[in-house]
Amino acid sequence: DLTVREHLRFAATLHGLSGRASGQRIDDLLAGLGLADHAKVLATRISGGMRRRLTMAAALVHSPGLLVIEEPEAGLDPATKACVAETLNVESAGRTVVLITHDSLGLGALADRVAVLESGRLAHVGVRQPTVLPTSPAPAVRQMAGDAYPRPRQGAGPSGRSRGAAV
């Protein structure tokens, strides 16, 4: 059994980090995600919401250039969601974060660019507009967004040349 801090130290070691720099990074993540008071507690003894925050801290400890997170806010109380949103906002500087969520009012509002999937197909891609879209099915999002999410051209890649069937 490992404590919360030991879990983060282990994650840092897996990515080749050690010493004072990793210790400071771990302290920053513990504080930022509201886990500092639980650093010496066994991870098996913390709540589910704290475990989700610990998982996020472990993913962030080595400052990855690309971070892919799916539904990080699922099952969290509003205060914890706010803590996670603030951490993601701070940590996203200088890196690419792919955030997969159904919550356009919550963490989805942090996005610079948005892709909307409808029935497993790319329905809209665009720059996030300053207004927050309501949580709703994709057809309503399309209606509310207007030109904010232009429909991708069928079969065209980023260069405009056809790459076969659209995904």
Side-chain angles (χ1 to χ4, degrees):
D1 287 339
L2 299 175
T3 66
V4 169
R5 180 178 301 281
E6 289 168 340
H7 268 280
L8 294 180
R9 198 173 303 132
F10 178 70
T13 301
L14 288 176
H15 292 285
L17 304 174
S18 61
R20 193 171 287 156
S22 71
Q24 183 60 52
R25 177 72 175 147
I26 289 168
D27 288 343
D28 291 347
L29 287 168
L30 288 171
L33 287 166
L35 293 170
D37 291 343
H38 304 285
K40 295 180 181 178
V41 177
L42 291 176
T44 56
R45 303 226 183 251
I46 61 175
S47 71
M50 287 185 191
R51 285 184 190 159
R52 294 196 53 117
R53 288 183 273 166
L54 175 57
T55 301
M56 181 170 295
L60 292 167
V61 75
H62 68 292
S63 300
L66 171 65
L67 182 64
V68 179
I69 308 173
E70 182 178 3
E71 299 287 357
E73 75 282 6
L76 299 180
D77 61 79
T80 303
K81 282 184 183 184
C83 180
V84 167
E86 177 59 26
T87 299
L88 282 176
N89 195 31
V90 169
E91 292 290 331
S92 65
R95 74 187 70 193
T96 300
V97 177
V98 177
L99 177 65
I100 302 157
T101 183
H102 290 88
D103 185 6
S104 66
L105 290 174
L107 294 179
L110 295 174
D112 298 312
R113 295 184 49 79
V114 177
V116 177
L117 297 179
E118 186 177 321
S119 300
R121 300 178 79 80
L122 188 59
H124 306 281
V125 176
V127 176
R128 179 83 172 174
Q129 297 299 309
T131 57
V132 177
L133 299 175
T135 305
S136 61
V141 169
R142 185 181 326 109
Q143 181 182 19
M144 294 291 294
D147 292 334
Y149 305 106
R151 194 172 278 287
R153 294 182 308 184
Q154 292 291 332
S159 65
R161 287 179 266 158
S162 179
R163 290 190 298 161
V167 179

